[in-house]
Amino acid sequence: MIVKIKRGDKFREYEINVDKNWTILEVLEYIKTKIDSTLTFRASCRSSICGSCAMVINGQSKLACKENISKNLINNEITIEPLKKFPVIRDLVVDDSKAYEKLKKVKPYLTPKTPPKNSEFLIKPEEVASYDKQTDCILCMACYSDCAALDVDENYLGPFQFTKTLRFINDSRDNTPLNERLDLITKEGNIFECLECQACILACPKGVTPQFDIKKLQNIALQNGYQNPNPPQNDFNSFNFGGFNEGGFF
């Protein structure tokens, strides 16, 4: 098979013959140790936990340690590129510092309230369930890389940043004022610019759903007096609804 790897402004092709049950990360390690020691990429846990081996595989951002060859071969070829939206340091290694700076803005940490005397915070299971999935985010940047809204506005905060915001808004132990978090995501983060393409959902290797989190945050913002600066021009009530035909359309 042929592995095409973007290195600088060109693609370098490597012809290899390995087990197709190997992961993409194993392929990269094979190329580096057996063919070209100058190939540069990030990797650590090999278990889809650290998120460091995220890269673009056949056009979609994925974790190299999670994807195997057999599911990604197209005409006996695999194309690998560095994550999008980031300056490239070398080969498949990118500078993701700007995305982390955006994350810092949303205060992705708990500012605890004073616990009750002679007690501790008691959290109901349903409350934990409201933010449990958001804690699965491993900051791999795959959603950020595939986000269409960032193609339109580079100052748009980003999918995983909004997911982290919702996680702490839903935590009753957090003492950060709600309006402070909402100010950050609406006035600076431009949350209403989400294009609802759901590319972030497809990209996430942990099953987190950033676009759904963004929609929840938009609703929370609207309920608290914030306005969408670019509201949709049409809504469902504006259509002349004539009923559904046999195919389910009207």
Side-chain angles (χ1 to χ4, degrees), residues 21-148:
N21 289 318
W22 279 18
T23 65
I24 302 298
L25 179 57
E26 288 174 313
V27 168
L28 292 173
E29 290 174 336
Y30 176 85
I31 293 172
K32 185 173 180 65
T33 57
K34 302 292 186 180
I35 303 174
D36 187 348
S37 62
T38 66
L39 178 62
T40 307
F41 54 90
R42 284 193 180 116
S44 183
C45 73
R46 306 167 68 93
S47 303
S48 306
I49 295 174
C50 73
S52 61
C53 67
M55 56 192 67
V56 177
I57 301 170
N58 293 337
Q60 185 177 355
S61 301
K62 302 177 180 180
L63 292 184
C65 69
K66 186 178 181 182
E67 299 296 320
N68 63 24
I69 297 172
S70 60
K71 292 183 178 180
N72 289 279
L73 270 181
I74 300 176
N75 297 325
N76 207 40
E77 293 183 352
I78 294 176
T79 301
I80 304 173
E81 303 170 73
L83 289 176
K84 296 166 278 188
K85 314 288 193 305
F86 302 101
V88 176
I89 297 174
R90 178 170 175 170
D91 296 342
L92 302 175
V93 178
V94 298
D95 178 2
D96 53 14
S97 57
K98 184 175 181 179
Y100 274 113
E101 287 301 317
K102 289 182 178 181
L103 179 62
K104 290 178 183 178
K105 287 184 178 181
V106 304
K107 299 183 177 180
Y109 46 80
L110 191 70
T111 306
K113 298 176 181 177
T114 303
K117 288 185 178 180
N118 303 318
S119 183
E120 59 186 353
F121 288 115
L122 299 178
I123 303 176
K124 296 180 179 179
E126 52 266 31
E127 181 183 330
V128 175
S130 72
Y131 59 75
D132 184 55
K133 194 60 188 176
Q134 287 76 26
T135 64
D136 289 342
C137 173
I138 58 175
L139 305 179
C140 68
M141 309 286 175
C143 64
Y144 193 95
S145 173
D146 283 359
C147 177

Side-chain angles (χ1 to χ4, degrees), residues 204-238:
C204 182
K206 306 301 287 186
V208 181
T209 53
Q211 196 269 314
F212 296 162
D213 296 338
I214 290 169
K215 181 59 69 176
K216 291 175 183 176
L217 286 171
Q218 289 174 343
N219 289 335
I220 292 171
L222 292 171
Q223 290 165 8
N224 283 273
Y226 292 82
Q227 299 294 320
N228 182 350
N230 299 297
Q233 298 301 309
N234 295 307
D235 58 34
F236 187 77
N237 294 325
S238 68

